[in-house]
Amino acid sequence: MKTINLTVNGQPVCAEVEPRTHLADFLREQLRLTGTHIGCEHGICGACTVDINGEMSRSCITFAVQCDGADITTIEGFDDDPLMARLREAFTSEHALQCGYCTPGMIIAARDLIRRKGALEPQQIRYEMSGNLCRCTGYAGITAAIGQVMAERDALPLPPAHEACIGPAPGPGAKRTAQNTSNAAADDAGKPDDDSPSTSLSPGAAFETFSEDGLTTLTEHVIVPHDADRVWAFLGDLETVAACLPGARLIQQDGDLIAGEMRVKLGPMTPRFAGEGMIRRDDENRSARIVGHAKDTGSASRARGRIVYALQDTGEGTRIDIEIGYALTGALAQFSRGAIAKDLVGRLTRAFAENLQGAISGNGPAAGGSADGGSDALDAGGLLGAVIWGQIKSIFAAIFGRRN
Ligand code: FES
Ligand code: FES
């Protein structure tokens, strides 16, 4: 057990909790704040949304021990909040609830949206609220209610924005919008790493956002110790480039059109995503854009994605800025959400960078190719194991580090 001290709805709380207890259970079972609902316990539905240190967060995937010292507001703590009062009125007048199970999380998310953004079209409100699911009302009333309050935004006292965030934030763009992500990437562009190793990823560079076309987008950069002309020429050989990505294989290329496949080993399953896409290379700016879609018939899963990369000569090597956007539907869709997906794509990018450097240097991709010319299937089970183990270690480091 661990002792935690925190503030809940303005009241100081001191409690003993098991390290495994998630915040939603702690709030409901120990503090009897049952307005925080639990739906999926996977961070998908948004029923458990609460406010932690001024930012909305999923309490079902936030450990209570992480909240030691935090200031938490549950739905019971918003009674005197003018923006929330206005939202309650609007939800009532627009019939934006039926059973009400989703409503606490829904209006906490709506309050956060109105705090951050105004003047959105109904379709944009739906997009922003897509991290909260309602199983019975339908979304027309919810969208209308939020639109009604958003129209009065200038006259309402808006809660301040906070920087500190503990739990995973629900909803697209909740933490970082596409605009400020690209600004951050632009700010970062051209800055050589302090002590660039031969191949490097920017530390913590995998910024995640949700783009307007519904793709979860990650940005990374790698630095390879070769001049930009050589790297650009190498990247024109798509077959070799595909072999650098674990599990990927180029099947056919006809001008800008490409066909390929990606095999992912998931325990006893090895789904094979086969699909097609298009590549556009801009020789003048040494940048390229690849878009495509693929399907695995075995798991009835579909993927679509976009890769954009640009090269920059740093004088000592070439920096490659990479933006990967992806969306999965079907049985494998759980891999398209949250920190695990971000970490997984970060590791994939790292493997790609190492293989790329090996190939450019003439040593061949480190991952090795299979007999059919493609690289071995991506062992996502092994990768996920490493990812999850890495996250468990960081959580325990946070818990026990604070005690020392
Ligand atoms: Fe569904 Fe937490 S219970 S997101
Ligand atoms: Fe019933 Fe949304 S009102 S789940």
Side-chain angles (χ1 to χ4, degrees):
M1 299 288 272
K2 176 168 167 60
T3 303
I4 56 171
N5 290 283
L6 64 166
T7 303
V8 180
N9 298 337
Q11 300 294 318
V13 171
C14 178
E16 294 276 314
V17 291
E18 296 273 8
R20 66 169 181 267
T21 303
H22 63 56
L23 179 61
D25 273 350
F26 171 69
L27 293 170
R28 290 176 57 85
E29 312 276 326
Q30 286 185 244
L31 302 188
R32 299 293 177 198
L33 293 168
T34 53
T36 298
H37 291 166
I38 297 178
C40 63
E41 292 190 85
H42 280 73
I44 305 294
C45 73
C48 66
T49 302
V50 297
D51 181 295
I52 305 178
N53 291 341
E55 296 285 352
M56 66 167 182
S57 300
R58 304 292 207 214
S59 60
C60 73
I61 48 175
T62 301
F63 288 120
V65 290
Q66 286 176 279
C67 300
D68 189 15
D71 189 350
I72 293 171
T73 309
T74 67
I75 191 65
E76 292 91 344
F78 286 107
D79 280 359
D80 299 326
D81 183 272
L83 178 52
M84 196 61 106
R86 188 62 198 91
L87 276 165
R88 282 197 301 267
E89 286 171 8
F91 266 60
T92 304
S93 66
E94 296 292 341
H95 307 291
L97 69 155
Q98 192 171 331
C99 77
Y101 199 82
C102 68
T103 309
M106 194 69 82
I107 57 175
I108 290 176
R111 175 181 179 273
D112 181 73
L113 173 59
I114 293 171
R115 170 175 71 82
R116 291 181 292 110
K117 296 183 179 179
L120 299 185
E121 296 295 326
Q123 201 57 31
Q124 292 171 307
I125 293 174
R126 282 175 178 254
Y127 167 72
E128 291 286 344
M129 292 295 296
S130 61
N132 286 71
L133 306 182
C134 175
R135 62 190 171 182
C136 54
T137 302
Y139 298 95
I142 293 169
T143 306
I146 295 171
Q148 190 187 109
V149 181
M150 191 174 275
E152 304 161 12
R153 185 173 186 272
D154 290 345
L156 289 167
L158 298 178
H162 295 259
E163 287 305 319
C165 185
I166 293 175
K175 297 301 299 169
R176 187 181 273 276
T177 63
Q179 177 66 38
N180 62 26
T181 298
S182 62
N183 286 348
D187 290 343
D188 206 19
K191 286 185 191 165
D193 285 4
D194 294 337
D195 52 349
S196 306
S198 55
T199 299
S200 68
L201 284 168
S202 53
F207 294 133
E208 183 179 16
T209 182
F210 214 78
S211 58
E212 294 300 325
D213 54 9
L215 300 181
T216 299
T217 306
L218 301 169
T219 57
E220 286 275 12
H221 77 252
V222 299
I223 295 175
V224 290
H226 301 283
D227 67 66
D229 285 340
R230 184 171 175 186
V231 176
W232 180 245
F234 179 86
L235 290 173
D237 179 358
L238 281 187
E239 194 168 352
T240 309
V241 171
C244 293
L245 192 62
R249 184 166 74 100
L250 181 73
I251 295 172
Q252 195 182 351
Q253 181 173 9
D254 181 6
D256 288 350
L257 302 177
I258 52 178
E261 68 171 22
M262 177 114 184
R263 289 174 298 146
V264 188
K265 190 167 177 347
L266 290 162
M269 293 164 46
T270 306
R272 172 181 167 273
F273 282 94
E276 53 196 24
M278 176 181 288
I279 179 167
R280 285 274 155 78
R281 275 169 58 93
D282 179 346
D283 289 316
E284 194 175 336
N285 295 308
R286 292 199 191 112
S287 64
R289 178 185 177 86
I290 305 167
V291 292
H293 58 90
K295 182 181 176 188
D296 170 53
T297 41
S299 64
S301 298
R302 291 175 183 274
R304 63 189 175 91
R306 174 187 65 226
I307 299 174
V308 180
Y309 61 83
L311 273 53
Q312 193 178 357
D313 212 326
T314 66
E316 296 175 355
T318 300
R319 172 182 166 125
I320 310 173
D321 287 294
I322 308 169
E323 182 192 292
I324 299 174
Y326 62 93
L328 279 171
T329 53
L332 301 178
Q334 67 266 35
F335 293 107
S336 70
R337 279 184 174 262
I340 287 180
K342 182 169 69 173
D343 216 345
L344 184 63
V345 172
R347 284 163 194 266
L348 255 181
T349 311
R350 191 183 305 274
F352 176 71
E354 287 170 0
N355 290 336
L356 187 67
Q357 184 186 333
I360 295 176
S361 306
N363 300 325
S370 61
D372 60 4
S375 52
D376 293 336
L378 166 66
D379 186 352
L383 272 176
L384 280 175
V387 169
I388 291 166
W389 177 237
Q391 294 192 345
I392 288 172
K393 280 198 293 189
S394 64
I395 288 167
F396 274 84
I399 295 168
F400 296 112
R402 250 185 244 161
R403 183 181 284 173
N404 294 333

